[in-house]
């Protein structure tokens, strides 16, 4: 960028230090992962809006930096070249813009996904790759408008609800979403649990571990990940270790009290001990009794959310994708938890049984599976029936029109 500034008399007085600061500030303010300026020099309207938004945000945050330096960077990124540049100079500007686009994505990934999203989580189900923790859903009209746009522009785009990179499994998110419908009940529960678990927290250097923010993430994580079926002692022990692993990772990604490169082992140990204490099995654990009573209806509502999401994913414009193992309930947490081995043999056996019983009376089977949802067979049944319908109506899904339906409670 410093070499490019030397190309023209309007920009050659900018210092290397000021250019570096402006570049860093604009990258920090970039609202999306990257722009998509092409090698032939085409700038889309959406890219123009995002670049200018980053420039203007950076200006407001840095009143002591010259506005003209920000404007110079904007002109380079938007390929708005001053008169008199030769072909080599124009080519160098385009090369800079293309490389800039390769840099903003990993900065966003580490700064936003792997840091900010582990610090700020009013509703943790919103803290996803490409998501926005401040955006609580959308209007039905907007949802239909987006589907129409997708059908028009990207009819074969991938529709994924879980991947190797999602922070939580799709059923975990569907459950946590339910909390947005009962904010008062949820708030009272959190304060109640905070008091019940006071003895499990440890004081370190004048502060409690976990702190309130870490503890709040722990409770949301439990709501999303708690198994539907009763656990054996061995299963309970494995579940506790999974939660301990997740909380350890979340604290290190947040980089507030500990981190991967500068770990506070005492803090990490205190977090693990807190999880182990508050999840100890037995009727004397008042927290666990209270929590499971609270979580049960949340899980039931999450089941309906999940099945609805599955049908929409298969029926909406795009190509539905199913991450390994997500044919059943996906209550996994972030990697490495969501990369554990999948029992495909059990899934093949379950699918064969579904085919066998559905051939006799599919409605009776649906009612039976919905009444016993714990093993996830109802999700596999819905997925299988919807995909078979899609396969039998390929032309409809490949080239059919889209009509938004109105839902009523």
């Amino acid at each position: 960028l410093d070499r490019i500034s030397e190309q023209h008399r309007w920009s050659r007085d900018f210092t290397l230090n000021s250019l570096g600061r402006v570049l860093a500030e604009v990258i920090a303010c970039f609202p999306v992962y990257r722009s998509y300026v092409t090698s032939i020099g085409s700038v889309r309207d959406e890219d123009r809006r995002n670049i200018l938004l980053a420039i203007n945000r950076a200006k407001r945050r840095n009143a002591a930096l010259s506005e003209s330096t920000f404007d110079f960077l904007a002109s380079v990124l938007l390929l708005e070249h001053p008169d008199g540049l030769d072909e080599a100079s124009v080519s160098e500007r385009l090369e800079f813009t293309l490389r800039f686009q390769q840099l903003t994505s990993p900065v966003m990934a580490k700064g936003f996904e792997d840091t900010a999203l582990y610090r700020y989580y009013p509703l943790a189900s919103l803290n996803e790759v490409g998501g926005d923790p401040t955006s609580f859903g959308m209007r039905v009209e907007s949802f239909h408008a987006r589907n129409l746009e997708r059908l028009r522009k990207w009819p074969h785009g991938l529709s994924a609800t879980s991947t190797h990179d999602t922070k939580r499994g799709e059923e975990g998110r569907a459950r946590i979403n339910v909390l947005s419908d009962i904010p008062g009940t949820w708030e009272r529960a959190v304060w109640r649990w905070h008091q019940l678990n006071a003895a499990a927290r440890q004081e370190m250097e004048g502060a409690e571990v976990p702190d309130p923010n870490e503890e709040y993430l722990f409770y949301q994580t439990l709501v999303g990940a708690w198994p539907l079926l009763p656990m054996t002692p061995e299963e309970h022990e494995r579940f506790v270790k999974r939660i301990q692993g997740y909380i350890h990772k979340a604290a290190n990604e947040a980089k507030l009290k500990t981190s991967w490169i500068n770990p506070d082992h005492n803090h990490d140990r205190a977090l693990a001990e807190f999880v182990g204490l508050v999840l100890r099995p037995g009727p004397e654990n008042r927290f666990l009794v209270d929590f499971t009573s609270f979580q049960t209806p949340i899980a039931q509502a999450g089941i309906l959310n999940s099945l609805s999401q599955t049908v929409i994913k298969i029926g909406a414009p795009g190509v539905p994708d199913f991450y390994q193992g997500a044919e059943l309930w996906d209550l996994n947490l972030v990697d490495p938890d969501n990369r554990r081995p999948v029992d495909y043999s059990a899934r093949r056996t379950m699918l064969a049984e579904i085919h066998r019983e559905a051939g006799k009376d599919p409605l009776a089977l649906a009612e039976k599976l919905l009444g016993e949802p714990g093993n996830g067979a109802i999700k596999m049944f819905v997925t299988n029936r919807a995909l078979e319908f899609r396969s039998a109506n390929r032309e409809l899904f490949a080239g059919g029109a889209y009509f938004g339906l109105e839902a009523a409670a």
Side-chain angles (χ1 to χ4, degrees):
L1 186 62
D2 186 50
R3 288 200 309 272
I4 290 171
S5 73
E6 299 292 334
Q7 294 173 350
H8 198 274
R9 58 187 176 85
W10 291 346
S11 56
R12 62 170 54 110
D13 288 338
F14 297 142
T15 66
L16 179 63
N17 182 58
S18 66
L19 290 170
R21 289 186 60 190
V22 164
L23 185 58
E25 291 295 333
V26 170
I27 291 174
C29 291
F30 218 69
V32 292
Y33 282 75
R34 56 165 293 171
S35 54
Y36 290 88
V37 176
T38 67
S39 58
I40 61 173
S42 173
V43 181
R44 304 180 307 159
D45 290 341
E46 183 178 358
D47 291 330
R48 182 177 300 277
R49 285 194 299 270
N50 287 328
I51 290 170
L52 291 177
L53 179 60
I55 293 288
N56 291 329
R57 281 180 178 174
K59 281 182 181 179
R60 290 194 300 271
R61 284 164 50 104
N62 297 274
L65 291 177
S66 171
E67 184 178 28
S68 61
T69 316
F70 288 103
D71 293 337
F72 161 68
L73 177 57
S75 71
V76 176
L77 294 175
L78 295 172
L79 308 183
E80 296 173 348
H81 311 307
D83 296 334
L85 295 185
D86 57 26
E87 186 175 335
S89 297
V90 170
S91 177
E92 187 172 16
R93 284 173 169 246
L94 176 59
E95 177 71 12
F96 171 85
T97 298
L98 298 179
R99 289 183 177 275
F100 175 88
Q101 296 180 147
Q102 294 176 325
L103 178 60
T104 56
S105 293
V107 171
M108 171 71 89
K110 293 307 297 180
F112 181 64
E113 278 181 39
D114 294 341
T115 303
L117 292 189
Y118 285 99
R119 296 182 178 187
Y120 179 78
Y121 25 79
L123 192 68
S125 52
L126 300 176
N127 289 35
E128 270 302 344
V129 178
D132 180 356
T134 66
S135 178
F136 285 77
M138 67 173 66
R139 296 175 61 84
V140 173
E141 296 83 359
S142 300
F143 173 76
H144 289 315
R146 286 196 181 187
N147 277 336
L148 282 168
E149 182 182 26
R150 190 158 204 235
L151 180 63
R152 186 174 67 255
K153 294 183 177 179
W154 309 287
H156 305 299
L158 189 72
S159 299
T161 43
S162 291
T163 73
H164 70 289
D165 212 25
T166 40
K167 305 288 187 190
R168 286 168 185 79
E170 56 198 63
E171 271 70 47
R173 295 197 307 272
R175 284 183 185 179
I176 295 173
N177 287 342
V178 177
L179 301 178
S180 66
D181 292 325
I182 53 167
T185 304
W186 168 239
E187 182 180 12
R188 289 189 293 272
V190 169
W191 280 114
R192 192 166 62 248
W193 300 338
H194 180 69
Q195 293 167 351
L196 287 172
N197 292 327
R201 294 189 292 274
Q202 299 181 36
E203 184 173 325
M204 296 179 59
E205 299 179 356
E208 286 190 323
V209 181
D211 65 24
N213 206 38
E214 293 170 324
E215 192 174 351
Y216 185 52
L217 177 63
F218 167 71
Y219 295 139
Q220 291 190 73
T221 301
L222 277 191
V223 169
W226 193 261
L228 275 166
L229 295 173
M231 291 182 279
T232 65
E234 293 76 16
E235 289 170 338
H236 187 93
E237 183 179 357
R238 288 196 294 271
F239 178 77
V240 171
K241 289 181 178 178
R242 287 177 55 211
I243 299 298
Q244 287 173 326
Y246 173 77
I247 295 300
H248 175 76
K249 175 167 182 172
N252 278 269
E253 295 286 3
K255 308 170 189 69
L256 292 172
K257 306 292 179 61
T258 184
S259 71
W260 300 119
I261 61 173
N262 186 17
D264 183 336
H265 297 296
N266 290 328
H267 180 273
D268 294 341
R269 175 187 48 76
L271 281 179
E273 290 177 355
F274 173 83
V275 173
L277 283 171
V278 302
L279 293 183
R280 67 192 184 282
E284 74 285 353
N285 186 341
R286 293 170 58 201
F287 161 72
L288 212 51
V289 172
D290 191 315
F291 170 78
T292 51
S293 175
F294 172 89
Q295 196 268 347
T296 299
I298 302 297
Q300 295 300 317
I303 287 171
L304 300 180
N305 278 354
S306 301
L307 297 178
S308 301
Q309 177 177 263
T310 300
V311 172
I312 291 173
K313 177 172 74 170
I314 295 173
V319 178
D321 177 79
F322 296 84
Y323 182 57
Q324 51 192 19
E327 301 86 2
L328 305 181
W329 304 132
D330 183 0
L331 302 176
N332 289 318
L333 299 165
V334 73
D335 67 279
D337 193 66
N338 65 358
R339 301 179 191 180
R340 291 173 296 152
V342 176
D343 189 344
Y344 288 109
S345 176
R347 284 164 172 76
R348 282 191 290 267
T349 300
M350 181 181 289
L351 183 59
E353 180 65 20
I354 287 174
H355 281 155
R356 204 160 34 245
E357 293 194 37
K360 304 172 187 175
D361 189 341
L363 181 58
L365 177 59
E367 292 175 343
K368 172 190 171 185
L369 296 179
L370 192 57
E372 303 171 353
N375 64 355
I378 181 61
K379 183 182 181 184
M380 180 174 282
F381 171 80
V382 169
T383 300
N384 175 248
R385 299 290 288 188
L387 286 176
E388 285 185 344
F389 180 83
R390 183 177 175 120
S391 178
N393 296 272
R394 291 176 181 269
E395 293 184 4
L396 172 65
F397 285 91
Y402 179 90
F403 295 93
L405 299 179
E406 292 187 11

